[in-house]
């Protein structure tokens, strides 16, 4: 079998593939399952197989691909990367610039539960931030929003309410929206809950993680809320995964309001 030298392009792609797989392994061991995380595994494996195949065949990409295709690919890559960087800048800015104002209701967005009914670390950050805001304004109502996923035994809203009650928030100050399955529904259904409790004000202190704040704020305003952003911290080592996912989530929200 003829041995081929490793081209620079092959080495770069190999490093990217292995880094993606190792990142997936590290976060899985640290946090368990995260939304979007498996794409790092699938993408890394596909890239790894691709690199090994082209190396085995002795294919050097820049000499085998027509120049026109290389130029088109370069243009598309630069355009996509520029859009990605611009979107990420908006997401980061929104997550680190909170409002000094305070809403009439504290609204906490749900996140996936662990083992069906346990608060995840990311969700605990949201609840801790909501609790901080509650201590500043102890007469405020808290609206917890999140339905029950297929792998959950209770709704996210029920788990959040239980956490707040355990931290001495009176149960009658906690409103529950337990039907939503995505961020857009969080606000649409929460609006119905407020109406059912004769709360006319749409001014809310919105609590979610920093990476999620830009999209949440956009969808909240789209649904008629006036918001004061109160971002909670992100998972320390999962930011590459979460911010990458959020870029596509924000594009989808702008296009489909979803």
């Amino acid at each position: 079998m003829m041995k081929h030298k490793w081209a620079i392009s092959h080495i770069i792609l190999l490093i990217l593939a292995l880094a993606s797989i190792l990142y997936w392994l590290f976060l899985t061991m640290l946090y368990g399952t995260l939304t979007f995380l498996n794409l790092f595994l699938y993408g890394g494996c596909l890239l790894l197989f691709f690199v090994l195949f082209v190396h085995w065949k002795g294919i050097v990409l820049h000499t085998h691909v027509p120049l026109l295709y290389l130029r088109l690919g370069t243009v598309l890559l630069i355009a996509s990367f520029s859009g990605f960087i611009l979107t990420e800048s908006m997401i980061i800015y929104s997550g680190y610039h909170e409002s000094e104002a305070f809403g009439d209701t504290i609204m906490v967005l749900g996140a996936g539960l662990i083992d069906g009914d346990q608060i995840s670390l990311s969700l605990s950050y949201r609840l801790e931030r909501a609790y901080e805001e509650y201590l500043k304004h102890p007469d405020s109502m808290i609206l917890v929003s999140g339905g029950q996923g297929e792998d959950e035994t209770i709704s996210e809203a029920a788990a959040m309410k239980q956490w707040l009650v355990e931290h001495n928030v009176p149960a009658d100050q906690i409103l529950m929206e337990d039907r939503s399955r995505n961020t857009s529904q969080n606000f649409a259904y929460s609006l119905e809950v407020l109406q059912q409790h004769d709360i006319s004000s749409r001014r809310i202190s919105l609590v979610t993680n920093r990476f999620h704040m830009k999209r949440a704020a956009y969808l909240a305003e789209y649904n008629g809320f006036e918001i004061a952003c109160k971002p909670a911290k992100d998972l320390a080592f999962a930011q590459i995964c979460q911010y990458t996912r959020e870029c596509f989530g924000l594009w989808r929200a702008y296009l489909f309001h979803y």
Side-chain angles (χ1 to χ4, degrees), residues 18-147:
L18 294 175
S20 181
I21 294 170
L22 290 174
Y23 181 67
W24 169 85
L25 180 62
F26 173 68
L27 291 191
T28 299
M29 294 174 62
L30 191 62
Y31 299 124
T33 301
L34 293 174
T35 303
F36 199 80
L37 180 57
N38 282 343
L39 287 183
F40 284 87
L41 173 63
Y42 302 147
C45 288
L46 286 174
L47 185 58
L48 178 61
F49 292 146
F50 171 76
V51 172
L52 294 177
F53 175 77
V54 296
H55 175 70
W56 176 57
K57 289 291 188 178
I59 299 173
V60 180
L61 298 178
H62 67 273
T63 61
H64 282 72
V65 178
L67 182 59
L68 176 61
Y69 292 162
L70 280 176
R71 289 176 175 174
L72 288 175
T74 301
V75 171
L76 288 174
L77 183 62
I78 292 174
S80 299
F81 186 71
S82 299
F84 177 79
I85 293 299
L86 176 61
T87 306
E88 290 296 339
S89 299
M90 295 165 56
I91 293 170
I92 293 170
Y93 178 87
S94 181
Y96 282 86
H97 288 75
E98 67 177 79
S99 308
E100 295 183 1
F102 189 83
D104 296 318
T105 302
I106 302 169
M107 182 175 177
V108 195
L109 301 185
L113 303 177
I114 299 174
D115 298 327
D117 62 355
Q118 301 298 308
I119 297 293
S120 66
L121 182 58
S122 184
L123 184 53
S124 71
Y125 290 156
R126 301 184 188 189
L127 290 166
E128 289 167 2
R129 182 59 202 272
Y131 185 64
E132 290 177 9
E133 296 303 314
Y134 165 77
L135 292 179
K136 297 175 185 176
H137 304 270
D139 295 329
S140 298
M141 300 294 289
I142 301 179
L143 172 57
V144 291
S145 177

Side-chain angles (χ1 to χ4, degrees), residues 200-212:
S200 60
S201 174
R202 300 295 177 262
R203 296 176 61 249
I204 60 171
S205 290
L206 178 60
V207 180
T208 189
N209 301 103
R210 295 187 188 280
F211 78 89
H212 188 226

Side-chain angles (χ1 to χ4, degrees), residues 180 182-189 215 219 222-223 257-258:
S180 58
N182 57 56
T183 304
S184 180
Q185 291 178 356
N186 282 138
F187 297 107
Y189 295 155
R215 177 160 58 104
L219 290 172
Y222 179 79
N223 281 276
H257 310 299
Y258 166 76

